[in-house]
Amino acid sequence: METYDVITGNDAVAWGARLSRVEVIAAYPITPQTTIVEKLAEWVDKGEIDARYIAVESEHSAMSAAMGASAAGARAFTATSSQGFLYMFEMISWAAGARTPVVMAVVNRALGPPWNIWSEHTDALMARDTGWIQFWASNNQEALDSIIQAYRVAEDKKVILPAMVMLGGFVLSHTAMPVRIHDQDKVDQYLPPYSPPHYVLNPKLSEPFAYGNILFPWDYAKVRLSIQRAMENSVDVIKKAAREFQEIFGIWHGDLIKEAYTDNAEMLIFALGAVAEQAEATAELLRKKGYKVGVVKVRVTRPFPKHEIAKLANKVSRIIVIDRDISFGWDGILAGEIKATLHEHNVDTPVTTKIMGIGGDDILPDHIEKAVKEVYNK
Amino acid sequence: MSEIPDNHLILPISKPTKGAGGKTGSWRVFRPVILEDKCIKCMMCWMYCPEAAIEAHSRNEVPKINYDYCKGCLVCKEVCPVSAIKSEREGE
Amino acid sequence: MYYEVIWVGRGGQGAVTASRILAKALNREKIWAQAIVFFGAERRGAPVYAYNRISDQPIKYHHFVTDADVIVIFEPSLIKLTNVLSRARDNATVIINSAGRSEDMDSELHKYRLAVVDATSIALQLNLLVAGIPVINTAMIGAFAKAMGFPLIDSVKEVIKEAWPGKMGELNAQASEKAYRETRILENIKSVS
Ligand code: SF4
Ligand code: SF4
């Protein structure tokens, strides 16, 4: 039965995994992700979900176990954050190459030093070149729903890649807000059980074999190119997954992007996750003050929505990108991606980067308003 | 994009098979030879051979080298605890 | 309807839990509420902040509450220590746990609509102690319900009993109800005798 409750982003993620009927959970605790796996461990312990919980000694092992489970045909889940994410990094890359459709929640947190437990997006953005599909949740409902959508996309036979779902540390992970917890039957209708299209590391089902042996350059490139093809395929799969989600649940979080107030906009703000929703709330105020400002929430950073962004950018005269992250010596990471996209599509709208909210520094509506006004009147 | 393109899921999978690298016996410069009267059947050579070219069917038999696949690395000679393996120049 | 709330307590007094229970109780009445926490160095006794945003519409803001319509203070000593009243809006309601002693009534308080409840005595009367410390957060939610007129005290009690099944929930629900009945609303501090 469908219920409404006021829950944190972390509990919403746990519910997303539960409703997706995950079969194997392997995770190591780290602030601010810990309560996701605590909740799942509690449910496994009480027998409320039919899953195996593998306690591991590190994030590297967590991803190894999740990948092994996925290779054996199970629907696998893990979650991490920040330093734990970096410790897992070798296996993050491996999971994509191995084509194991694991879903992972990443609670975004700044990297040390200096030590900091608050929100920043740099951690997950570091993995944009690994072959994972990347979703960004802008509120707790989207966190829950994106986990379900992520399995749909990751396990699609045209894709077969792992997917990560990001949510801002504390901003969402520890903030409670109303969330609809869907009816299990409806979720089952949307997300069928995982049926591996390729290999199953299960001695009962298949002959013994080794996976990922050395390949020479002429063969290696073919295998890596196949990841690129799968990413290209995933664009349509993500759009379809979002559309069908809306049909069944009546909720639209966007597909690769979500637009707000973009009609007749003269200026667009681009941002990720909760920052984008914060910008949307601010744009509502600015519209009332006469500023023709729209917001584009970039919901998926891999595959990067190049066509969608170029099309919208072409219609406006100014763009600002709010980055809660930085690539040292380059730019805000999202801004860099958008600038490259516009160049590729011959769009010459000027783009201004605004780096804000580093290490959890609060992003107030005033900050966004000031940034908009600075660029708007230029 | 209605049908599954055949090039989006290519996986490097290897199954166990005899002589995956071909008949590596031709690589040899030196050939290991087990001296049956010195061998104590400890199976160290069998365990260490990187090509699994040493065959042993029971603890009571002196292991046998399969010269079709032995590549002449002489690891077996190195690990034998009683120097029961000698090496000979190939062709001599 | 739009309210922003600041809860200020000391580590261990349960301000964070109070903000979440309040949001859950409001949700039962189809009122949209966020409960936000600031986690810093969690030390027992150090000042701790929690926040709510309350509206009849979904809220898209994700920053901490800066200025508030309601400020809930778990102990009079926190007024000077945190300077929290500098964040009160002009028509703010301030809800304070105090036995009503004159030295608790900071001169700043007289600017606001004030609700006073002796939550510590309520906890002691009910023997509601955890690790020897009186539990006052559930009483403060009762005081909130009285001072603001929402949510219904029954919603508060139901959520409390769900959160702590058994005796603990029963006692906490009693504390919230007792506080609801005993909270005094003072439009002006000068009327405190
Ligand atoms: S020489 Fe090398 S390959 Fe040949 S049997 Fe000895 S260990 Fe094996
Ligand atoms: S290592 Fe030497 S002694 Fe041992 S089985 Fe081989 S040849 Fe015989």
Side-chain angles (χ1 to χ4, degrees), chain A residues 193-273:
Chain A
Y194 175 43
S195 63
H198 50 337
Y199 63 101
V200 176
L201 289 179
N202 181 340
K204 283 188 195 137
L205 296 178
S206 63
E207 290 178 6
F209 60 82
Y211 178 81
N213 214 331
I214 187 165
L215 275 189
F216 291 101
W218 45 91
D219 287 325
Y220 177 88
K222 281 181 213 153
V223 175
R224 303 303 277 186
L225 180 64
S226 81
I227 298 175
Q228 171 65 12
R229 293 283 169 262
M231 268 290 174
E232 289 162 4
N233 291 351
S234 74
V235 170
D236 285 347
V237 175
I238 291 166
K239 288 182 179 173
K240 186 160 175 256
R243 244 185 354 255
E244 288 187 21
F245 193 89
Q246 188 185 24
E247 281 162 21
I248 295 179
F249 301 97
I251 302 179
W252 177 252
H253 298 295
D255 39 36
L256 287 99
I257 57 167
K258 186 183 167 222
E259 301 173 41
Y261 308 109
T262 48
D263 286 346
N264 73 26
E266 283 175 14
M267 175 176 169
L268 290 177
I269 306 172
F270 286 82
L272 299 172

Side-chain angles (χ1 to χ4, degrees), chain B residues 28 30-32 45 48-54 65-66 69-77 85:
Chain B
R28 268 196 318 273
F30 291 98
R31 142 196 300 256
C45 55
Y48 273 87
C49 173
E51 294 302 317
I54 302 181
I65 295 173
N66 181 334
Y69 295 104
C70 163
K71 65 182 177 183
C73 67
L74 301 183
V75 167
C76 52
K77 182 185 175 206
I85 302 181

Side-chain angles (χ1 to χ4, degrees), chain A residues 299-330:
Chain A
R299 183 168 182 247
V300 174
T301 45
R302 283 294 180 275
F304 198 69
K306 296 200 270 188
H307 292 279
E308 292 76 6
I309 288 175
K311 219 168 102 189
L312 288 165
N314 207 15
K315 291 194 247 169
V316 297
S317 56
R318 297 267 183 282
I319 285 172
I320 61 174
V321 182
I322 303 178
D323 263 297
R324 185 169 226 164
D325 52 76
I326 181 164
S327 172
F328 298 116
W330 167 229

Side-chain angles (χ1 to χ4, degrees), chain C residues 3 19 22 50 54 73 78 80 94 110 144 152 167 177 192:
Chain C
Y3 292 94
S19 72
L22 176 68
I54 299 169
I73 301 169
L78 290 163
K80 282 230 153 48
V94 177
H110 79 274
F144 183 101
L152 298 172
K167 179 142 182 284
E177 172 142 34
V192 178

